[in-house]
């Protein structure tokens, strides 16, 4: 009887060990990927091979709270969603030579730092959708060429500083739709050249300062549609109108005070793009259609009609370098935990804390024969 019980116990232990080894093998198989992949997919990201003919990846990262610099080098399409960043660092995406598209969706960003999106060429798309941004610093979007589209949709921006959009050439579309912008500073949009379409639509801009648009050349189409302006200074819409083939301004709401008096002088004789054409639906807040309002009604004091067009001193932009972050406040790229290596073609791989807990539970159960 004793020998039989001992034999049964030995068999039970053997089965425990065998089951444990089996569970361990299964776990290793789950975590393993193709040996040819040499990059790791960051935790909370999904890395998907685009197709069989390329190693390019589509990477979607969810619920990030600190910017990471270890996205796989062969990333082609990158999305950050439901995330919050104190800042986007200088030259954040310069290392990713295959990158074609960067998207931020439902994200909160404190500061888009100078040169965050500098020196990127041949991109297809940079987009911000349903985002809140506090500050876009000077040169944040600079020296961008041959990009299909830069788009802000359903975005709130507190402050666009001088030279934030500088030296943008040969873009197809620069678009702001359903945005709220508190302040566009002087020279915020400078050297926009050879762009097919610049569009602001269904938005509110509280303050658009003098020379907010400057050194503009060869724009094909500019559209301001359904925009509410708080304070609008000179060398803004008029600068765009003088340097574009087609300028459309419809359903605009102006605060018609002395700060807007410059517009009667600039646009009164330009019926093709004038906000004073009755069919355009442009109005003065509380005063009706702007086509029926004269400058004397908007600003009875003739001596105050230059308030919205003050001269500015030159302010050259700084250039973006190949270095990272701000010289006086260096911040290195933050390493971020990685999951396992990427999965094979057309498959995704994602590990979160719940899956890890499940793996641990399986190992415990196997160990104790449960």
């Amino acid at each position: 009887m004793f020998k039989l019980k001992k034999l049964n116990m030995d068999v039970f232990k053997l089965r425990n060990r065998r089951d444990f080894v089996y569970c361990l093998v299964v776990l290793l198989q789950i975590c393993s990927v193709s040996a040819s992949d040499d990059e790791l997919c960051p935790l909370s990201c999904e890395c998907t091979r685009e197709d069989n003919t390329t190693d390019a990846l589509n990477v979607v990262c969810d619920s990030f709270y600190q910017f990471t610099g270890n996205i796989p080098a062969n990333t082609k399409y990158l999305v950050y969603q439901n995330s919050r960043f104190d800042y986007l660092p200088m030259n954040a995406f310069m290392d990713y030579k295959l990158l074609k598209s960067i998207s931020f969706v439902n994200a909160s960003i404190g500061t888009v730092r100078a040169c965050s999106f500098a020196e990127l060429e041949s991109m297809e798309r940079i987009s911000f959708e349903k985002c809140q941004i506090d500050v876009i610093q000077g040169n944040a979007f600079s020296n961008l060429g041959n990009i299909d589209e830069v788009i802000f949709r359903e975005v709130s921006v507190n402050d666009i500083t001088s030279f934030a959009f500088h030296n943008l050439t040969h873009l197809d579309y620069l678009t702001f739709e359903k945005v709220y912008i508190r302040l566009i500073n002087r020279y915020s949009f400078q050297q926009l050249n050879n762009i097919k379409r610049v569009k602001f639509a269904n938005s509110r801009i509280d303050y658009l300062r003098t020379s907010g648009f400057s050194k503009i050349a060869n724009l094909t189409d500019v559209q301001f549609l359904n925009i509410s302006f708080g304070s609008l200074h000179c060398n803004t819409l008029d600068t765009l109108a003088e340097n574009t083939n087609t300028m459309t301004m419809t359903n605009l709401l102006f605060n018609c005070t002395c700060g807007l008096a410059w517009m009667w002088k600039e646009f009164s004789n330009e019926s093709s793009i004038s906000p004073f054409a009755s069919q355009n639906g442009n109005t003065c807040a509380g005063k009706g259609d702007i086509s029926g309002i004269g400058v004397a009604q908007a600003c009875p004091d003739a001596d105050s009609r230059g308030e919205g067009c003050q001269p500015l001193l030159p302010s050259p932009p700084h250039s973006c370098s190949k270095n990272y972050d701000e010289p006086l406040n260096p911040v290195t790229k933050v390493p971020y935990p990685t999951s396992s290596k990427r999965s094979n073609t057309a498959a995704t791989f994602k590990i979160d804390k719940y899956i890890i807990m499940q793996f641990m539970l399986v190992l415990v159960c196997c160990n104790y024969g449960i």
Side-chain angles (χ1 to χ4, degrees), residues 220-224 236-242 244-249 267 272-274:
T220 302
D221 182 26
V222 174
Q223 301 177 15
F224 278 79
T236 50
L237 299 185
D238 48 330
T239 299
L240 289 169
E242 292 169 0
T244 185
N245 293 335
T246 303
M247 178 82 172
T248 304
M249 294 189 287
F267 285 141
S272 61
I273 49 85
S274 174

Side-chain angles (χ1 to χ4, degrees), residues 42-45 62-70 334-339:
L43 193 69
S44 296
C45 294
D62 191 281
S63 301
F64 266 42
Y65 296 98
Q66 195 171 26
F67 188 83
T68 174
N70 68 332
V334 178
Y336 204 80
T338 58
S339 66

